[in-house]
């Protein structure tokens, strides 16, 4: 059973994920109506609490909340990732006094959404915390693959890029493994976390080997400025070795799909021709993101802890 | 369809349940309702059958088939899930499973016939009317119910009724059967000692 909060894919089991994906399938239909709104969360308040900027994710949650008729409040609390945890919890308590029904939290430090969930009455959805998890991104990726391929079980999924710093990679690894896919990661050695294989994935430092027979290829965004020089010699060299283009994609299956959580660094993670030639799936990811967030909001927001207040 | 044909046994009637309308009875009732619809419709070309899942779906399809048979009339059949419009979502902790919505044609200026299997409080019909309005502005909305149990809590009346079944406390009425299509064998049963809520959970089968 899906818990009170959604903090990570690690906490979900396969049945939970299937329930969310099935709910999202029905939510997608609402977006195709003339009136793209249902009254389900009328009178409920959704607070977006973002300590780290993310226009895409925040907008996606905002649209999802509004399609379900929730009142959406964006509480932007930009601060350095080194902000003292006391001040974060104070912010959370202040927020709690305003009686929100669901709070979406993004923070640059792993574990902050959990700490906020511990003090809040309202359920918390993690919208990305440090290098820990980004569960709704993984759910929308699972949803996109399941719609494109008709299944997830038995597929081979190759994640390419900065596995070490990526919460998207971590959440997707948990998600695809739980749904029965084979997961491979490919990156320059410093970007592969030690002991990653204990999670059940196969790690490759050769992109060609990692792509061999893949059904799904997922490129991660490279934070050029932060990483160049320390994790790989130069952006140009990264693009030459791990950047995806049509030539390298030949090693994957003919019908392989190419995904990217966005925004794409063109010419780095994806060549221009790939970003232009197969933009379909990447834009589907964005569209599916709204359906997934509607599903998650429907399933967890406004629920009261059973047995009254605690 | 072929799989349904193989299944000759039909739905099993649970212990303690009594059949109040069997397959033949349901077919006759839906044929009578189809005749009534034709008789009372000024402009049958504007009709649009909208089923409330799951129980309404096989009934609406059967009525559409009957209309075609009787009057060579092709009536569109839509499916409208009312779950997201329920008025009890905020008071329960459990989130019900959503069901399919498929509205193949526009509702504007059509005479919409909402089709449900069992009508009791009228709350589902209220939710369906709200949902319908999000798809456009029908010229009129009418309600077809295979079973009317009474116990209305909202000012909603049925335009076409299959059978009135007054029920007492602790009694429940539901449609059993294969929610797959016209070949499914259906039966309406009345049973004792089960709460409505438990029955709703049981009735939430998949539609084909």
């Amino acid at each position: 059973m899906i818990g009170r909060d959604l903090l990570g894919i690690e906490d979900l089991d396969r049945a939970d994920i299937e329930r969310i994906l099935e709910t999202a399938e029905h939510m997608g239909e609402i977006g195709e109506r003339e009136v793209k709104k249902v009254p389900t969360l009328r009178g409920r308040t959704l607070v977006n609490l973002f300590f780290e900027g993310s226009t895409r994710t925040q907008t996606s949650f905002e649209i999802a909340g509004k399609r379900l008729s929730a009142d959406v409040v964006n509480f932007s609390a930009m601060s350095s990732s080194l902000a003292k945890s006391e001040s974060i919890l104070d912010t959370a308590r202040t927020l709690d006094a305003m009686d929100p029904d669901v709070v979406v939290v993004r923070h640059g430090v792993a574990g902050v959404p959990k700490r906020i969930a511990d003090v809040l009455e309202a359920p918390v959805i993690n919208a990305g915390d440090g290098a820990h998890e980004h569960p709704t991104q993984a759910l929308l990726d699972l949803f996109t693959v399941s719609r494109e391929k008709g299944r997830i079980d038995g597929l081979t999924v190759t994640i390419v890029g900065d596995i070490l710093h990526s919460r998207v990679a971590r959440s997707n690894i948990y998600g695809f493994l739980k749904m029965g896919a084979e997961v491979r990661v490919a990156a320059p050695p410093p970007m592969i976390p030690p002991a990653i294989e204990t999670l059940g994935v196969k790690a490759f430092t050769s992109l060609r080997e990692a792509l061999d027979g893949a059904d799904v290829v997922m490129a991660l965004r490279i934070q050029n400025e932060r990483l160049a020089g320390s994790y790989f010699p130069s952006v140009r060299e990264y693009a030459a070795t791990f950047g995806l283009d049509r030539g390298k994609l030949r090693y994957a299956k003919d019908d392989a799909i190419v995904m990217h959580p966005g925004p794409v660094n063109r010419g780095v993670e994806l060549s221009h021709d790939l970003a232009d030639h197969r933009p379909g799936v990447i834009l589907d990811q964005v569209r599916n993101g709204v359906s997934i967030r509607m599903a998650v909001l429907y399933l967890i927001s406004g629920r009261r802890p059973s047995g009254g207040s605690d | 369809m072929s799989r349904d044909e193989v299944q000759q046994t039909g739905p099993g009637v649970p212990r303690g349940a009594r059949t109040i309308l069997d397959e033949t009875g349901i077919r006759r009732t839906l044929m009578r309702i189809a005749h009534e619809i034709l008789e009372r419709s000024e402009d049958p070309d504007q009709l649009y059958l909208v089923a409330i899942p799951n129980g309404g779906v096989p009934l609406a399809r059967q009525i559409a088939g009957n209309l075609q048979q009787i009057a060579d009339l092709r009536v569109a059949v839509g499916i409208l899930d009312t779950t997201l419009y329920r008025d009890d979502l905020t008071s329960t902790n459990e989130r019900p499973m959503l069901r399919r919505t498929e509205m193949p044609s526009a509702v504007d200026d059509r005479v919409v016939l909402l089709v449900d299997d069992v009508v009791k409080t009228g709350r589902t019909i209220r939710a369906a009317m709200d949902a319908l309005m999000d798809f456009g502005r029908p010229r009129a909305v009418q309600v077809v119910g295979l079973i009317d149990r009474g116990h209305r809590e909202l000012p909603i009346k049925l335009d076409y009724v299959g059978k009135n079944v007054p029920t007492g406390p602790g009694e429940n009425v539901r449609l059993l059967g294969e929610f797959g299509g016209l070949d499914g064998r259906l039966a309406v049963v009345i049973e004792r000692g089960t709460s409505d809520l438990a029955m709703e959970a049981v009735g939430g089968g998949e539609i084909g």
Side-chain angles (χ1 to χ4, degrees):
Chain A
M1 187 57 222
I2 299 157
R4 194 194 72 142
D5 306 301
L6 177 62
L7 299 174
I9 302 293
E10 191 179 5
D11 308 326
L12 302 179
D13 60 28
R14 185 171 176 153
D16 295 333
I17 295 172
E18 283 170 350
R19 171 111 201 249
I20 295 169
L21 301 189
E22 194 197 326
T23 305
E25 191 67 53
H26 296 296
M27 291 296 185
E29 179 266 323
I30 294 165
E32 294 161 16
R33 297 182 188 179
E34 199 154 308
V35 177
K36 299 180 184 58
K37 205 179 188 63
V38 290
T40 315
L41 296 182
R42 200 159 52 95
R44 302 273 159 192
T45 305
L46 157 69
V47 175
N48 274 324
L49 179 58
F50 278 55
F51 294 93
E52 191 183 81
S54 167
T55 318
R56 289 164 164 253
T57 306
Q58 186 170 329
T59 306
S60 183
F61 270 108
E62 185 168 351
I63 291 174
K66 286 180 171 171
R67 287 205 177 149
L68 293 170
S69 296
D71 295 314
V72 182
V73 179
N74 292 315
F75 191 106
S76 171
M78 302 302 175
S79 60
S80 89
S81 58
L82 296 174
K84 289 198 177 75
S85 59
E86 284 89 344
S87 66
I88 293 164
L89 294 185
D90 279 345
T91 306
R93 286 196 187 94
T94 306
L95 206 65
D96 208 25
M98 299 178 199
D99 281 335
D101 295 284
V102 58
V103 178
V104 178
V105 179
R106 164 166 295 198
H107 197 283
V109 176
V112 169
K114 168 85 172 84
R115 299 206 53 190
I116 290 177
D118 288 342
V119 303
L120 283 192
E121 191 82 14
V124 169
I125 299 171
N126 178 7
D129 60 333
H132 176 226
E133 281 229 41
H134 189 355
T136 57
Q137 176 70 44
L139 289 167
L140 76 87
D141 288 337
L142 289 162
F143 186 48
T144 304
V145 169
S146 143
R147 299 193 84 185
E148 283 288 322
K149 295 289 181 189
R151 67 190 170 113
I152 299 172
D153 209 328
L155 295 180
T156 299
V157 179
T158 302
I159 307 176
V160 184
D162 185 4
I163 312 297
L164 181 65
H165 297 99
S166 175
R167 53 194 174 212
V168 175
R170 181 180 295 261
S171 290
N172 267 310
I173 288 170
Y174 288 129
F176 278 98
L177 287 176
K178 285 178 190 213
M179 295 301 287
E182 176 190 327
V183 181
R184 302 173 182 170
V185 298
M191 290 180 160
I192 296 181
I196 182 91
E197 295 199 321
T198 59
L199 290 178
V201 307
K202 293 181 188 158
F204 294 84
T205 52
S206 153
L207 182 61
R208 183 180 170 159
E209 287 171 28
L211 289 180
D212 183 38
D215 299 283
V216 176
V217 185
M218 189 181 295
L220 300 173
R221 186 177 156 78
I222 287 291
Q223 316 266 337
N224 328 348
E225 317 75 21
R226 195 151 60 89
L227 301 177
S230 45
Y231 288 89
F232 49 85
S234 71
V235 169
R236 188 179 300 171
E237 186 174 321
Y238 178 88
T241 334
F242 287 95
L244 289 166
D245 55 34
R246 271 199 247 184
K248 294 184 189 121
L249 207 58
R250 280 202 324 260
Y251 301 116
K253 281 199 184 143
D254 290 343
D255 62 348
I257 55 169
V258 178
M259 302 172 73
H260 191 292
V264 178
N265 288 314
R266 281 162 171 257
V268 183
E269 306 104 36
L270 296 184
S271 63
H272 288 272
D273 61 333
L274 269 191
D276 289 329
H277 190 65
R278 298 204 193 177
V281 177
I282 294 173
L283 292 179
D284 283 344
Q285 285 175 271
V286 177
R287 203 169 291 117
N288 291 339
V290 174
S291 303
I292 279 290
R293 289 173 180 121
M294 287 172 77
V296 169
L297 289 172
Y298 169 67
L299 291 171
I300 79 172
S301 64
R303 288 206 322 200
R304 300 294 176 213
S306 50
S309 59
D310 56 343
Chain B
M1 285 297 154
S2 57
R3 243 189 319 152
D4 292 340
E5 285 161 17
V6 174
Q7 185 173 356
Q8 296 295 327
T9 48
V13 176
R15 231 155 24 107
R18 182 164 53 87
T19 301
I20 49 177
L21 206 54
D22 63 7
E23 175 77 14
T24 313
I26 292 174
R27 283 188 187 278
R28 280 190 192 132
T29 304
L30 295 178
M31 185 57 83
R32 192 234 320 143
I33 287 175
H35 279 287
E36 285 178 8
I37 290 170
L38 285 172
E39 193 179 296
R40 288 197 238 158
S41 298
E42 286 172 16
D43 193 358
D45 289 330
Q46 292 303 310
L47 292 173
Y48 188 178
L49 288 155
V50 174
I52 299 172
N54 294 320
V57 178
L59 306 181
R61 287 188 182 143
Q62 178 74 63
I63 292 171
N66 292 347
L67 290 171
Q68 175 147 29
Q69 192 190 321
I70 304 165
D72 197 23
L73 191 66
R74 290 190 72 86
V75 176
V77 178
I79 300 172
L80 187 59
D81 181 29
T82 59
T83 309
L84 293 170
Y85 293 80
R86 281 167 63 153
D87 58 8
D88 59 351
L89 284 177
T90 50
S91 57
T92 55
N93 231 347
E94 260 320 292
R95 290 286 183 257
M97 293 295 284
L98 303 185
R99 291 170 292 193
R100 192 154 50 108
T101 290
E102 257 179 41
M103 296 290 282
S105 45
V107 303
D108 290 312
D109 295 323
R110 306 289 284 276
V111 175
V112 172
L113 296 162
L114 289 173
V115 183
D116 202 0
D117 51 0
V118 180
V119 178
K120 189 186 171 198
T121 62
R123 289 178 190 271
T124 301
I125 301 298
R126 196 280 311 162
M129 286 196 285
D130 278 0
L132 197 59
M133 299 306 162
D134 282 352
F135 285 86
R137 186 178 185 278
R139 193 206 300 167
V141 180
Q142 298 171 349
V143 185
V144 181
L146 180 61
I147 300 292
D148 187 350
R149 291 181 61 184
H151 305 284
R152 209 73 86 233
E153 292 169 6
L154 293 174
I156 282 169
K157 71 166 181 63
L158 300 188
D159 299 273
Y160 302 95
V161 189
K163 191 179 171 77
N164 285 297
V165 181
T167 49
E171 282 183 326
N172 190 47
V173 176
R174 62 179 170 133
L175 179 68
L176 292 177
E178 294 291 305
F179 297 141
L182 299 181
D183 296 338
R185 295 177 63 82
L186 299 169
V188 177
V189 298
I190 185 164
E191 50 202 347
R192 276 200 157 276
T194 42
S195 75
D196 286 359
L197 211 65
M199 286 320 3
E200 253 179 61
V202 172
E206 199 58 45
I207 46 176

